[in-house]
């Protein structure tokens, strides 16, 4: 006779399988002029995408906000993208990027048929699912399209100009020929501590380097790509000591080879 565990296994019993990590993200409240190709540009730097699905606007109403579903090949890439892009500004407002449980095939077919809003209401209580902030935008028109294009370019400049990584390069943080920089022996040490404290609001800063011989370059290593992206997005275009900061991704090799104050 079969043992109880064997019989249970053959009968479909035993320990339930651990749930798979989510690979699918929901991007909600998109302006009507945002297309699938635009979202591919934003999300693909984080990893291979298996699909980008644009949910039809509710009722097909002109100017209605849209929703998209982004599926990654790897759950880790989905995690990085969600952490990095959630809360970033697009078309004048902060967008929301949420994890989404995979729908059974039957429900996916219903959603594709235009019942996405109803399903979103049903799924609203599931942890990790959200509807996001509403974009306070008007209808279509060339002016709106131009504005969307400018906002899209700004977003892509923040996170897509180089491969996302845990390493960020801040430029124009100091003047190498400045009075304080050349006369105060504690200047660079204090600057390093101040930057680590400020950028620590976005995630753990593992290390920071101040390149004294550069045009104000400070390199940061974060604990994750998501933390680095939030910091770069926030620091980019800020003003500091009368100079405008620029922020961009860099890589491990550049960080390792950079001199440190």
């Amino acid at each position: 006779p079969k043992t109880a565990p064997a019989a249970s296994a053959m009968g479909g019993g035993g320990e339930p399988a651990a749930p798979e990590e989510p690979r699918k993200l929901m991007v909600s409240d998109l302006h009507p002029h945002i297309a699938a190709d635009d979202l591919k540009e934003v999300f693909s730097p984080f990893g291979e995408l298996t699909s980008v699905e644009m949910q039809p606007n509710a009722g097909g109403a002109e100017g209605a906000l849209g929703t998209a579903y982004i599926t990654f090949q790897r759950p880790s890439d989905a995690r990085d993208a969600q952490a990095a892009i959630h809360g970033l500004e697009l078309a004048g407002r902060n967008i929301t990027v949420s994890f989404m449980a995979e729908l059974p095939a039957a429900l996916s077919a219903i959603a594709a048929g235009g019942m996405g809003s109803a399903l979103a209401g049903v799924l609203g209580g599931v942890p990790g699912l959200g509807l996001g902030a509403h974009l306070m935008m008007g209808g279509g028109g060339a002016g709106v399209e131009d504005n969307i294009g400018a906002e899209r370019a700004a977003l892509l400049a923040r996170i897509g100009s180089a491969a996302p990584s845990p390493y960020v390069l801040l430029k124009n943080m100091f003047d190498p020929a400045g009075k304080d920089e050349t006369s105060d022996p504690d200047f660079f040490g204090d600057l390093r501590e101040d930057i680590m404290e400020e950028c620590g609001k976005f995630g753990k800063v593992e290390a920071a380097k101040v390149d004294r011989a550069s045009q104000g370059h400070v390199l940061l290593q974060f604990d994750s790509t998501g933390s680095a992206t939030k910091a770069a997005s926030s620091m980019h275009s800020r003003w500091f000591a009368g100079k405008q900061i620029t922020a961009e991704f860099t890589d491990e090799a550049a960080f390792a080879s950079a001199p440190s104050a």
Side-chain angles (χ1 to χ4, degrees):
K2 295 183 175 68
T3 63
S8 176
M10 292 183 66
E15 292 293 327
E20 292 186 5
E21 291 188 73
R23 299 181 299 116
K24 193 169 188 176
L25 302 175
M26 180 175 69
V27 186
S28 57
D29 298 332
L30 291 169
H31 189 275
H33 290 108
I34 299 297
D37 287 342
D38 302 322
L39 294 177
K40 287 178 183 177
E41 286 187 78
V42 173
F43 283 87
S44 61
F46 292 89
E48 183 179 354
L49 304 178
T50 60
S51 67
V52 176
E53 306 167 55
M54 300 294 297
Q55 180 70 31
N57 292 334
E62 183 177 355
L65 301 177
T67 300
Y69 303 101
I70 313 291
T71 305
F72 282 86
Q73 180 69 35
R74 300 191 307 174
S76 59
D77 295 335
R79 288 198 306 272
D80 288 342
Q82 192 277 335
I85 299 176
H86 174 67
L88 287 180
E89 188 176 291
L90 183 62
R93 296 298 297 270
N94 295 329
I95 64 172
T96 296
V97 182
S98 306
F99 289 108
M100 187 172 184
E102 295 284 355
L103 292 175
L107 289 181
S108 296
I110 294 174
M115 295 182 64
S117 297
L119 285 173
V122 172
L123 296 172
V126 179
L129 299 184
L131 295 180
H134 291 284
L135 297 174
M136 303 302 290
M137 297 289 294
V144 173
E145 290 179 0
D146 291 343
N147 183 58
I148 293 297
E151 293 286 352
R152 180 189 306 148
L155 177 63
L156 293 177
R158 289 180 181 179
I159 67 172
S161 58
S165 77
Y167 300 91
V168 172
L169 170 61
L170 302 178
K171 297 181 179 179
N172 217 23
M173 292 298 301
F174 60 88
D175 178 1
K179 179 179 178 181
D180 291 337
E181 288 87 336
T182 55
S183 62
D184 184 354
D186 297 324
F187 176 85
F188 290 104
D190 291 343
L191 176 66
R192 177 179 176 276
E193 291 181 7
D194 289 344
I195 293 174
M196 290 187 70
E197 180 179 355
E198 178 64 22
C199 290
K201 298 175 181 177
F202 311 103
K204 184 179 180 182
V205 181
E206 301 282 3
K209 290 185 175 182
V210 179
D211 186 353
R212 297 191 187 195
S214 68
Q215 293 300 311
H217 292 187
V218 177
L219 295 92
L220 301 167
Q221 177 186 357
F222 287 86
D223 61 338
S224 69
T225 299
S227 298
T229 304
K230 290 178 182 178
S233 177
S234 177
M235 297 297 289
H236 185 68
S237 296
R238 275 198 196 182
W239 289 86
F240 177 73
K243 297 178 288 294
Q244 190 170 28
I245 302 168
T246 61
E248 60 188 52
F249 289 113
T250 186
D251 56 30
E252 182 177 7
F255 183 87
S257 63
S260 180

